[in-house]
Amino acid sequence: MRLATKTAAQKRAEAKTQYNAFLAACPSQQLLARVSGKWVTLVMSALGSGPDCTGEPRPMRYSELARVLAGISPKMLSQTLRSLERDGLIDRTATATVPVTVSYELTGLGLSLHHTMRQIKLWSEAHRDEVAENQAFFDSAH
């Protein structure tokens, strides 16, 4: 009897269906760590929908993102945008103007994550007081 050998692509496809972020060795754990950062969540939420998260995703310029994301340093915004571009979640478009106009837009992959990120932002705003009360209660009891 002859055993069928699998191609590298078949092995990758099989491994992909077996991803489990609860396992320390799972590569999806690294991705989860990257996309769950505070600035990634806020940049993904803001891209095109603004500070109130009511608009539809649209391209935004760096300066517009910097205004919406109060408290982010230029360096952190640049690093976050670069990592999101590297992961394929946003596209960077430079237009030859004086000065050069650079805009950022969610890709299809980024759009698939945008709604979830926006909901996390809205949830944290809606439940911040409740969490603060729970923390105060816990701290006073311990």
Side-chain angles (χ1 to χ4, degrees), residues 20-84:
N20 180 348
F22 288 126
L23 302 175
C26 183
S28 63
Q29 207 177 74
Q30 294 169 344
L31 179 58
L32 184 60
R34 270 202 311 280
V35 300
S36 63
K38 171 178 78 170
W39 292 120
V40 169
T41 301
L42 293 175
V43 167
M44 293 290 294
S45 298
L47 263 173
S49 59
D52 57 0
C53 288
T54 57
E56 290 300 314
R58 64 173 174 76
M60 291 179 79
R61 294 182 60 190
Y62 178 94
S63 59
E64 189 177 6
L65 282 166
R67 277 191 304 274
V68 169
L69 300 167
I72 192 169
S73 69
K75 179 181 176 182
M76 183 54 66
L77 179 55
S78 294
Q79 287 176 348
T80 302
L81 291 168
R82 194 171 299 118
S83 73
L84 290 171

Short mmCIF file of all heavy atoms in Angstrom, two decimals, residues 20-84:
data_model
loop_
_atom_site.label_atom_id
_atom_site.label_comp_id
_atom_site.label_asym_id
_atom_site.label_seq_id
_atom_site.Cartn_x
_atom_site.Cartn_y
_atom_site.Cartn_z
N ASN A 20 -5.30 27.60 16.67
CA ASN A 20 -6.00 27.72 17.95
C ASN A 20 -5.20 28.71 18.79
O ASN A 20 -4.16 28.36 19.35
CB ASN A 20 -6.11 26.37 18.64
CG ASN A 20 -6.83 26.45 19.97
OD1 ASN A 20 -7.08 27.53 20.49
ND2 ASN A 20 -7.16 25.31 20.52
N ALA A 21 -5.69 29.94 18.89
CA ALA A 21 -4.95 31.00 19.59
C ALA A 21 -4.76 30.73 21.07
O ALA A 21 -3.97 31.40 21.72
CB ALA A 21 -5.65 32.34 19.38
N PHE A 22 -5.47 29.75 21.62
CA PHE A 22 -5.25 29.39 23.02
C PHE A 22 -3.94 28.64 23.22
O PHE A 22 -3.46 28.52 24.34
CB PHE A 22 -6.40 28.54 23.57
CG PHE A 22 -7.68 29.32 23.76
CD1 PHE A 22 -8.85 28.88 23.18
CD2 PHE A 22 -7.71 30.48 24.52
CE1 PHE A 22 -10.04 29.58 23.37
CE2 PHE A 22 -8.88 31.19 24.71
CZ PHE A 22 -10.05 30.74 24.13
N LEU A 23 -3.36 28.13 22.15
CA LEU A 23 -2.09 27.41 22.23
C LEU A 23 -0.94 28.38 22.04
O LEU A 23 -0.93 29.18 21.11
CB LEU A 23 -2.03 26.30 21.17
CG LEU A 23 -3.15 25.26 21.22
CD1 LEU A 23 -3.04 24.30 20.05
CD2 LEU A 23 -3.11 24.52 22.55
N ALA A 24 0.06 28.30 22.90
CA ALA A 24 1.18 29.25 22.88
C ALA A 24 1.93 29.24 21.55
O ALA A 24 2.42 30.27 21.12
CB ALA A 24 2.14 28.94 24.03
N ALA A 25 2.03 28.10 20.91
CA ALA A 25 2.80 28.00 19.67
C ALA A 25 2.00 28.40 18.43
O ALA A 25 2.54 28.41 17.33
CB ALA A 25 3.30 26.57 19.50
N CYS A 26 0.75 28.75 18.59
CA CYS A 26 -0.09 29.06 17.43
C CYS A 26 0.28 30.43 16.84
O CYS A 26 0.31 31.43 17.56
CB CYS A 26 -1.56 29.06 17.84
SG CYS A 26 -2.64 29.35 16.42
N PRO A 27 0.55 30.49 15.54
CA PRO A 27 0.91 31.77 14.91
C PRO A 27 -0.20 32.81 14.98
O PRO A 27 0.06 34.01 14.93
CB PRO A 27 1.22 31.41 13.46
CG PRO A 27 0.98 29.97 13.30
CD PRO A 27 0.58 29.38 14.60
N SER A 28 -1.44 32.38 15.13
CA SER A 28 -2.53 33.36 15.22
C SER A 28 -2.45 34.15 16.51
O SER A 28 -2.98 35.26 16.60
CB SER A 28 -3.89 32.67 15.09
OG SER A 28 -4.12 31.78 16.14
N GLN A 29 -1.74 33.63 17.52
CA GLN A 29 -1.57 34.36 18.77
C GLN A 29 -0.76 35.63 18.55
O GLN A 29 -1.05 36.67 19.15
CB GLN A 29 -0.89 33.45 19.80
CG GLN A 29 -1.22 33.80 21.22
CD GLN A 29 -0.60 32.85 22.21
OE1 GLN A 29 0.61 32.92 22.44
NE2 GLN A 29 -1.40 31.98 22.78
N GLN A 30 0.24 35.57 17.67
CA GLN A 30 1.04 36.75 17.35
C GLN A 30 0.19 37.81 16.66
O GLN A 30 0.29 38.99 16.96
CB GLN A 30 2.23 36.37 16.47
CG GLN A 30 3.22 35.47 17.15
CD GLN A 30 4.23 34.89 16.18
OE1 GLN A 30 4.02 34.91 14.97
NE2 GLN A 30 5.32 34.35 16.71
N LEU A 31 -0.66 37.38 15.75
CA LEU A 31 -1.54 38.32 15.06
C LEU A 31 -2.53 38.94 16.04
O LEU A 31 -2.77 40.15 16.01
CB LEU A 31 -2.28 37.63 13.92
CG LEU A 31 -3.25 38.50 13.12
CD1 LEU A 31 -2.54 39.71 12.51
CD2 LEU A 31 -3.93 37.67 12.05
N LEU A 32 -3.07 38.14 16.92
CA LEU A 32 -3.99 38.65 17.92
C LEU A 32 -3.31 39.71 18.80
O LEU A 32 -3.90 40.75 19.10
CB LEU A 32 -4.52 37.50 18.78
CG LEU A 32 -5.58 37.84 19.82
CD1 LEU A 32 -6.81 38.44 19.16
CD2 LEU A 32 -5.95 36.61 20.61
N ALA A 33 -2.07 39.46 19.17
CA ALA A 33 -1.33 40.44 19.97
C ALA A 33 -1.15 41.75 19.21
O ALA A 33 -1.28 42.83 19.78
CB ALA A 33 0.02 39.87 20.38
N ARG A 34 -0.87 41.66 17.92
CA ARG A 34 -0.67 42.88 17.12
C ARG A 34 -1.95 43.68 16.95
O ARG A 34 -1.94 44.90 17.08
CB ARG A 34 -0.11 42.52 15.74
CG ARG A 34 1.39 42.49 15.71
CD ARG A 34 1.98 42.66 14.32
NE ARG A 34 1.41 41.81 13.28
CZ ARG A 34 1.72 40.54 13.07
NH1 ARG A 34 2.58 39.94 13.85
NH2 ARG A 34 1.17 39.87 12.09
N VAL A 35 -3.05 43.02 16.65
CA VAL A 35 -4.28 43.77 16.36
C VAL A 35 -5.04 44.19 17.61
O VAL A 35 -5.99 44.95 17.51
CB VAL A 35 -5.23 43.01 15.40
CG1 VAL A 35 -4.55 42.75 14.07
CG2 VAL A 35 -5.79 41.76 16.01
N SER A 36 -4.63 43.71 18.79
CA SER A 36 -5.38 44.07 20.00
C SER A 36 -4.77 45.25 20.75
O SER A 36 -5.26 45.62 21.80
CB SER A 36 -5.49 42.85 20.93
OG SER A 36 -4.21 42.45 21.37
N GLY A 37 -3.75 45.86 20.21
CA GLY A 37 -3.15 47.02 20.86
C GLY A 37 -4.07 48.23 20.83
O GLY A 37 -4.91 48.37 19.94
N LYS A 38 -3.91 49.10 21.81
CA LYS A 38 -4.76 50.29 21.93
C LYS A 38 -4.76 51.13 20.66
O LYS A 38 -5.82 51.47 20.14
CB LYS A 38 -4.29 51.14 23.11
CG LYS A 38 -4.98 52.50 23.21
CD LYS A 38 -4.53 53.30 24.41
CE LYS A 38 -3.19 53.94 24.20
NZ LYS A 38 -2.84 54.90 25.24
N TRP A 39 -3.59 51.46 20.14
CA TRP A 39 -3.53 52.36 18.99
C TRP A 39 -4.04 51.68 17.73
O TRP A 39 -4.66 52.33 16.89
CB TRP A 39 -2.13 52.93 18.82
CG TRP A 39 -1.77 53.86 19.94
CD1 TRP A 39 -0.74 53.73 20.82
CD2 TRP A 39 -2.47 55.04 20.35
NE1 TRP A 39 -0.75 54.75 21.72
CE2 TRP A 39 -1.80 55.59 21.45
CE3 TRP A 39 -3.61 55.71 19.88
CZ2 TRP A 39 -2.22 56.75 22.09
CZ3 TRP A 39 -4.02 56.86 20.53
CH2 TRP A 39 -3.33 57.38 21.61
N VAL A 40 -3.80 50.38 17.58
CA VAL A 40 -4.33 49.67 16.41
C VAL A 40 -5.85 49.71 16.44
O VAL A 40 -6.50 50.01 15.44
CB VAL A 40 -3.81 48.21 16.36
CG1 VAL A 40 -4.57 47.40 15.32
CG2 VAL A 40 -2.32 48.18 16.07
N THR A 41 -6.43 49.45 17.60
CA THR A 41 -7.89 49.48 17.74
C THR A 41 -8.43 50.86 17.39
O THR A 41 -9.41 50.99 16.65
CB THR A 41 -8.31 49.10 19.18
OG1 THR A 41 -7.83 47.79 19.46
CG2 THR A 41 -9.81 49.15 19.35
N LEU A 42 -7.78 51.90 17.89
CA LEU A 42 -8.27 53.26 17.65
C LEU A 42 -8.06 53.71 16.21
O LEU A 42 -8.93 54.34 15.62
CB LEU A 42 -7.64 54.24 18.64
CG LEU A 42 -8.08 54.02 20.09
CD1 LEU A 42 -7.32 54.95 21.03
CD2 LEU A 42 -9.58 54.22 20.24
N VAL A 43 -6.92 53.36 15.61
CA VAL A 43 -6.68 53.72 14.21
C VAL A 43 -7.68 52.99 13.31
O VAL A 43 -8.29 53.59 12.42
CB VAL A 43 -5.22 53.41 13.78
CG1 VAL A 43 -5.07 53.47 12.27
CG2 VAL A 43 -4.25 54.37 14.45
N MET A 44 -7.86 51.70 13.55
CA MET A 44 -8.81 50.93 12.74
C MET A 44 -10.24 51.46 12.91
O MET A 44 -11.01 51.49 11.97
CB MET A 44 -8.76 49.45 13.11
CG MET A 44 -7.47 48.75 12.76
SD MET A 44 -7.22 48.54 10.99
CE MET A 44 -8.55 47.42 10.60
N SER A 45 -10.59 51.88 14.12
CA SER A 45 -11.92 52.43 14.37
C SER A 45 -12.09 53.78 13.68
O SER A 45 -13.15 54.08 13.13
CB SER A 45 -12.15 52.63 15.87
OG SER A 45 -12.09 51.43 16.56
N ALA A 46 -11.06 54.58 13.73
CA ALA A 46 -11.14 55.95 13.21
C ALA A 46 -11.10 56.02 11.70
O ALA A 46 -11.69 56.93 11.12
CB ALA A 46 -10.00 56.79 13.78
N LEU A 47 -10.41 55.09 11.06
CA LEU A 47 -10.20 55.23 9.62
C LEU A 47 -11.52 55.43 8.88
O LEU A 47 -12.27 54.50 8.65
CB LEU A 47 -9.46 54.02 9.05
CG LEU A 47 -7.96 54.24 8.89
CD1 LEU A 47 -7.26 52.96 8.49
CD2 LEU A 47 -7.64 55.35 7.94
N GLY A 48 -11.77 56.66 8.59
CA GLY A 48 -12.93 57.02 7.81
C GLY A 48 -14.20 57.21 8.59
O GLY A 48 -15.14 57.80 8.09
N SER A 49 -14.27 56.75 9.82
CA SER A 49 -15.54 56.88 10.53
C SER A 49 -15.52 58.00 11.56
O SER A 49 -16.54 58.31 12.15
CB SER A 49 -15.92 55.55 11.19
OG SER A 49 -14.94 55.14 12.10
N GLY A 50 -14.38 58.60 11.77
CA GLY A 50 -14.29 59.75 12.65
C GLY A 50 -14.38 59.40 14.12
O GLY A 50 -14.54 58.25 14.50
N PRO A 51 -14.29 60.41 14.99
CA PRO A 51 -14.24 60.18 16.42
C PRO A 51 -15.53 59.60 17.00
O PRO A 51 -15.51 58.91 18.01
CB PRO A 51 -13.96 61.56 17.01
CG PRO A 51 -14.31 62.54 15.94
CD PRO A 51 -14.16 61.83 14.63
N ASP A 52 -16.66 59.84 16.35
CA ASP A 52 -17.91 59.31 16.89
C ASP A 52 -18.27 57.95 16.29
O ASP A 52 -19.26 57.34 16.67
CB ASP A 52 -19.06 60.30 16.68
CG ASP A 52 -19.26 60.66 15.21
OD1 ASP A 52 -18.50 60.15 14.36
OD2 ASP A 52 -20.16 61.46 14.92
N CYS A 53 -17.45 57.47 15.36
CA CYS A 53 -17.64 56.15 14.74
C CYS A 53 -19.00 55.99 14.07
O CYS A 53 -19.58 54.91 14.10
CB CYS A 53 -17.41 55.03 15.75
SG CYS A 53 -15.68 54.83 16.20
N THR A 54 -19.49 57.05 13.46
CA THR A 54 -20.78 56.95 12.79
C THR A 54 -20.65 56.95 11.28
O THR A 54 -21.57 56.54 10.59
CB THR A 54 -21.71 58.10 13.21
OG1 THR A 54 -21.06 59.34 12.91
CG2 THR A 54 -22.05 58.02 14.68
N GLY A 55 -19.52 57.40 10.77
CA GLY A 55 -19.35 57.47 9.32
C GLY A 55 -18.95 56.15 8.71
O GLY A 55 -18.65 55.18 9.41
N GLU A 56 -18.95 56.12 7.41
CA GLU A 56 -18.51 54.94 6.69
C GLU A 56 -17.00 55.03 6.45
O GLU A 56 -16.47 56.13 6.33
CB GLU A 56 -19.24 54.83 5.35
CG GLU A 56 -20.71 54.47 5.50
CD GLU A 56 -20.93 53.15 6.21
OE1 GLU A 56 -20.25 52.16 5.86
OE2 GLU A 56 -21.75 53.10 7.14
N PRO A 57 -16.33 53.90 6.39
CA PRO A 57 -14.89 53.93 6.14
C PRO A 57 -14.58 54.66 4.83
O PRO A 57 -15.28 54.51 3.84
CB PRO A 57 -14.53 52.44 6.02
CG PRO A 57 -15.58 51.74 6.80
CD PRO A 57 -16.84 52.54 6.58
N ARG A 58 -13.55 55.50 4.89
CA ARG A 58 -13.08 56.24 3.72
C ARG A 58 -11.61 56.56 3.93
O ARG A 58 -11.11 56.47 5.05
CB ARG A 58 -13.90 57.52 3.55
CG ARG A 58 -13.73 58.50 4.69
CD ARG A 58 -14.41 59.84 4.43
NE ARG A 58 -14.36 60.70 5.60
CZ ARG A 58 -13.27 61.36 6.00
NH1 ARG A 58 -12.15 61.27 5.34
NH2 ARG A 58 -13.30 62.12 7.09
N PRO A 59 -10.92 56.93 2.87
CA PRO A 59 -9.50 57.30 3.05
C PRO A 59 -9.37 58.51 3.97
O PRO A 59 -10.23 59.39 3.97
CB PRO A 59 -9.04 57.65 1.63
CG PRO A 59 -10.04 57.03 0.72
CD PRO A 59 -11.33 56.99 1.48
N MET A 60 -8.30 58.52 4.75
CA MET A 60 -8.02 59.66 5.61
C MET A 60 -6.54 60.01 5.49
O MET A 60 -5.69 59.13 5.34
CB MET A 60 -8.33 59.32 7.08
CG MET A 60 -9.80 59.14 7.38
SD MET A 60 -10.11 58.71 9.12
CE MET A 60 -9.94 60.31 9.90
N ARG A 61 -6.26 61.30 5.59
CA ARG A 61 -4.87 61.76 5.57
C ARG A 61 -4.26 61.59 6.95
O ARG A 61 -4.96 61.54 7.96
CB ARG A 61 -4.82 63.21 5.12
CG ARG A 61 -5.28 63.36 3.66
CD ARG A 61 -5.19 64.76 3.17
NE ARG A 61 -3.81 65.23 3.25
CZ ARG A 61 -3.46 66.49 3.06
NH1 ARG A 61 -4.37 67.39 2.77
NH2 ARG A 61 -2.20 66.86 3.15
N TYR A 62 -2.95 61.54 6.98
CA TYR A 62 -2.21 61.40 8.24
C TYR A 62 -2.62 62.48 9.23
O TYR A 62 -2.89 62.20 10.39
CB TYR A 62 -0.70 61.46 7.94
CG TYR A 62 0.16 61.37 9.17
CD1 TYR A 62 0.66 60.15 9.59
CD2 TYR A 62 0.48 62.51 9.91
CE1 TYR A 62 1.46 60.06 10.72
CE2 TYR A 62 1.27 62.42 11.02
CZ TYR A 62 1.76 61.20 11.43
OH TYR A 62 2.54 61.12 12.56
N SER A 63 -2.67 63.73 8.76
CA SER A 63 -3.00 64.85 9.67
C SER A 63 -4.41 64.71 10.23
O SER A 63 -4.66 65.07 11.37
CB SER A 63 -2.82 66.19 8.96
OG SER A 63 -3.66 66.25 7.82
N GLU A 64 -5.32 64.21 9.44
CA GLU A 64 -6.69 64.01 9.90
C GLU A 64 -6.74 62.94 10.98
O GLU A 64 -7.40 63.09 12.01
CB GLU A 64 -7.57 63.62 8.70
CG GLU A 64 -9.03 63.59 8.98
CD GLU A 64 -9.85 63.26 7.74
OE1 GLU A 64 -9.29 62.93 6.68
OE2 GLU A 64 -11.09 63.32 7.85
N LEU A 65 -6.01 61.84 10.76
CA LEU A 65 -5.94 60.79 11.78
C LEU A 65 -5.30 61.32 13.06
O LEU A 65 -5.76 61.03 14.16
CB LEU A 65 -5.13 59.59 11.26
CG LEU A 65 -5.86 58.67 10.31
CD1 LEU A 65 -4.88 57.74 9.60
CD2 LEU A 65 -6.91 57.87 11.06
N ALA A 66 -4.26 62.13 12.92
CA ALA A 66 -3.58 62.69 14.10
C ALA A 66 -4.53 63.57 14.91
O ALA A 66 -4.48 63.57 16.14
CB ALA A 66 -2.34 63.48 13.67
N ARG A 67 -5.40 64.32 14.24
CA ARG A 67 -6.37 65.16 14.95
C ARG A 67 -7.42 64.32 15.67
O ARG A 67 -7.82 64.63 16.79
CB ARG A 67 -7.07 66.12 13.98
CG ARG A 67 -6.30 67.38 13.69
CD ARG A 67 -7.15 68.40 12.94
NE ARG A 67 -7.73 67.89 11.70
CZ ARG A 67 -7.13 67.89 10.53
NH1 ARG A 67 -5.91 68.36 10.42
NH2 ARG A 67 -7.74 67.42 9.46
N VAL A 68 -7.90 63.27 15.02
CA VAL A 68 -8.93 62.41 15.60
C VAL A 68 -8.39 61.64 16.80
O VAL A 68 -9.08 61.49 17.82
CB VAL A 68 -9.49 61.43 14.54
CG1 VAL A 68 -10.35 60.36 15.17
CG2 VAL A 68 -10.27 62.19 13.49
N LEU A 69 -7.15 61.19 16.72
CA LEU A 69 -6.56 60.34 17.75
C LEU A 69 -5.77 61.19 18.75
O LEU A 69 -4.54 61.18 18.77
CB LEU A 69 -5.66 59.28 17.12
CG LEU A 69 -6.36 58.35 16.14
CD1 LEU A 69 -5.36 57.54 15.34
CD2 LEU A 69 -7.31 57.44 16.88
N ALA A 70 -6.47 61.89 19.61
CA ALA A 70 -5.83 62.74 20.60
C ALA A 70 -4.92 61.90 21.49
O ALA A 70 -5.30 60.83 21.95
CB ALA A 70 -6.89 63.44 21.44
N GLY A 71 -3.72 62.38 21.69
CA GLY A 71 -2.80 61.70 22.59
C GLY A 71 -1.79 60.79 21.90
O GLY A 71 -0.83 60.35 22.52
N ILE A 72 -1.98 60.49 20.63
CA ILE A 72 -1.01 59.64 19.94
C ILE A 72 0.14 60.51 19.45
O ILE A 72 -0.07 61.61 18.93
CB ILE A 72 -1.66 58.85 18.77
CG1 ILE A 72 -0.71 57.76 18.26
CG2 ILE A 72 -2.10 59.77 17.65
CD1 ILE A 72 -1.34 56.77 17.30
N SER A 73 1.35 60.04 19.66
CA SER A 73 2.51 60.79 19.18
C SER A 73 2.69 60.55 17.68
O SER A 73 2.24 59.52 17.16
CB SER A 73 3.77 60.34 19.93
OG SER A 73 4.12 59.02 19.54
N PRO A 74 3.32 61.48 17.00
CA PRO A 74 3.57 61.27 15.56
C PRO A 74 4.33 59.97 15.29
O PRO A 74 4.02 59.25 14.34
CB PRO A 74 4.40 62.49 15.15
CG PRO A 74 4.02 63.55 16.14
CD PRO A 74 3.77 62.81 17.44
N LYS A 75 5.29 59.66 16.15
CA LYS A 75 6.07 58.43 15.98
C LYS A 75 5.18 57.20 16.12
O LYS A 75 5.25 56.27 15.31
CB LYS A 75 7.21 58.38 17.01
CG LYS A 75 8.05 57.12 16.92
CD LYS A 75 9.14 57.11 17.97
CE LYS A 75 9.91 55.81 17.91
NZ LYS A 75 10.93 55.74 18.95
N MET A 76 4.32 57.18 17.13
CA MET A 76 3.45 56.03 17.35
C MET A 76 2.44 55.89 16.22
O MET A 76 2.14 54.77 15.78
CB MET A 76 2.75 56.13 18.70
CG MET A 76 1.87 54.92 19.02
SD MET A 76 2.70 53.31 18.93
CE MET A 76 3.86 53.44 20.26
N LEU A 77 1.90 57.01 15.74
CA LEU A 77 0.95 56.95 14.63
C LEU A 77 1.65 56.39 13.39
O LEU A 77 1.10 55.51 12.71
CB LEU A 77 0.35 58.33 14.34
CG LEU A 77 -0.65 58.40 13.18
CD1 LEU A 77 -1.80 57.40 13.35
CD2 LEU A 77 -1.18 59.82 13.04
N SER A 78 2.84 56.86 13.11
CA SER A 78 3.58 56.36 11.95
C SER A 78 3.87 54.87 12.07
O SER A 78 3.69 54.11 11.12
CB SER A 78 4.90 57.13 11.78
OG SER A 78 4.64 58.47 11.45
N GLN A 79 4.32 54.44 13.25
CA GLN A 79 4.61 53.02 13.46
C GLN A 79 3.36 52.16 13.33
O GLN A 79 3.39 51.09 12.73
CB GLN A 79 5.22 52.80 14.85
CG GLN A 79 6.63 53.27 14.98
CD GLN A 79 7.16 53.13 16.41
OE1 GLN A 79 6.42 52.88 17.35
NE2 GLN A 79 8.46 53.31 16.56
N THR A 80 2.25 52.65 13.88
CA THR A 80 1.00 51.89 13.80
C THR A 80 0.52 51.78 12.36
O THR A 80 0.14 50.69 11.91
CB THR A 80 -0.08 52.55 14.69
OG1 THR A 80 0.40 52.63 16.04
CG2 THR A 80 -1.38 51.77 14.65
N LEU A 81 0.55 52.89 11.64
CA LEU A 81 0.14 52.86 10.23
C LEU A 81 1.04 51.94 9.42
O LEU A 81 0.57 51.17 8.58
CB LEU A 81 0.14 54.27 9.65
CG LEU A 81 -0.94 55.20 10.19
CD1 LEU A 81 -0.67 56.65 9.77
CD2 LEU A 81 -2.32 54.75 9.73
N ARG A 82 2.33 51.99 9.68
CA ARG A 82 3.28 51.12 8.95
C ARG A 82 2.99 49.65 9.24
O ARG A 82 2.99 48.82 8.32
CB ARG A 82 4.71 51.47 9.34
CG ARG A 82 5.75 50.88 8.41
CD ARG A 82 7.16 51.40 8.68
NE ARG A 82 7.23 52.85 8.49
CZ ARG A 82 7.53 53.72 9.45
NH1 ARG A 82 7.81 53.32 10.67
NH2 ARG A 82 7.56 55.00 9.20
N SER A 83 2.73 49.30 10.49
CA SER A 83 2.48 47.90 10.82
C SER A 83 1.15 47.43 10.21
O SER A 83 1.04 46.29 9.75
CB SER A 83 2.50 47.66 12.33
OG SER A 83 1.37 48.19 12.96
N LEU A 84 0.14 48.29 10.20
CA LEU A 84 -1.15 47.94 9.58
C LEU A 84 -1.00 47.76 8.07
O LEU A 84 -1.62 46.88 7.48
CB LEU A 84 -2.20 49.00 9.90
CG LEU A 84 -2.67 49.07 11.35
CD1 LEU A 84 -3.55 50.30 11.58
CD2 LEU A 84 -3.40 47.80 11.74
#
